[in-house]
Amino acid sequence: MFTGIIEDLGTITALNNDKDNLHITVSSNITEELKIDQSVAHNGVCLTVVSLDKDEYVVTAIKETLDKTNLGQLEVNATVNLERAIKLGDRLDGHIVQGHVDQTAICENVREQNGSWFYTFSYDAALNNVTIEKGSVTVNGVSLTVVNSKLNEFSAAIIPYTYKHTTFKDLKKGSLVNLEFDVIGKYVKRLNDLRS
């Protein structure tokens, strides 16, 4: 489990295809604190550390992960949002995040708003995922509050700290992002669907 509060930015140093798998080598300030078999969220995707070497570590994404996320579009020197799994008893500063991406979305608009930034994303409503006004959503692993919730679109405001310390500063119109919808909202929607 994760919170959607990004700990560090990692840099992709190597990408190696192995049949349908992609081995991703990441350089990060948190590498020395990692252990093999630990879970780390990369742009919101929970992946297992499979090897460590100095300030770099390797994780592997399988075909299903590559098909459902933006990890297949990574390039060497790209930056990713990183978060280690929470420890029992830690504060839950963001919201409950599983690290299981529901689908991708397209960044439709980015606009600066007097010191903060306003992003709009569209997604495929046919997959039955929904956002809830003032609810939570995870975009590339970052816990955000939904505004202007629509059937296949929502917006979020980004404060300067988040802009500076995540990959939001790299997003532009047309960027592909990973979405994880609020697990509580998904549960409520499922209950409502069963009742109707």
Side-chain angles (χ1 to χ4, degrees), residues 46-194:
C46 178
L47 299 172
T48 303
V49 175
V50 296
S51 71
L52 293 162
D53 184 22
K54 299 176 185 151
D55 70 336
E56 296 182 333
Y57 66 92
V58 177
V59 292
T60 302
I62 63 173
K63 183 178 187 311
E64 181 175 348
T65 302
L66 297 171
D67 289 346
K68 292 185 176 179
T69 70
N70 66 4
L71 295 186
Q73 294 187 345
L74 289 175
E75 297 177 354
V76 172
N77 294 321
T79 304
V80 291
N81 295 320
L82 300 177
E83 180 188 1
R84 289 176 288 172
I86 60 173
K87 296 178 188 172
L88 198 58
D90 278 357
R91 288 187 188 91
L92 187 61
D93 292 321
H95 71 281
I96 297 171
V97 176
Q98 296 178 304
H100 303 160
V101 171
D102 293 304
Q103 67 183 92
T104 55
I106 301 292
C107 181
E108 297 292 348
N109 190 22
V110 180
R111 72 177 191 272
E112 198 267 337
Q113 246 184 295
N114 293 322
S116 62
W117 290 263
F118 199 76
Y119 290 78
T120 301
F121 301 96
S122 67
Y123 60 94
D124 183 359
L127 297 178
N128 291 321
N129 292 310
V130 296
T131 56
I132 300 166
E133 189 71 21
K134 304 298 185 229
S136 297
V137 67
T138 307
V139 176
N140 275 354
V142 180
S143 175
L144 300 173
T145 300
V146 171
V147 295
N148 297 333
S149 177
K150 298 179 182 171
L151 180 62
N152 67 332
E153 184 180 279
F154 68 93
S155 298
I158 306 298
I159 63 172
Y161 182 89
T162 302
Y163 185 85
K164 181 178 178 183
H165 291 93
T166 70
T167 59
F168 268 92
K169 61 185 166 293
D170 303 324
L171 294 183
K172 57 187 179 292
K173 183 175 179 164
S175 293
L176 185 70
V177 298
N178 296 323
L179 295 183
E180 182 181 331
F181 295 85
D182 187 355
V183 67
I184 296 169
K186 287 190 282 190
Y187 177 73
V188 170
K189 182 184 182 312
R190 179 75 176 132
L191 281 177
N192 288 337
D193 289 347
L194 290 172

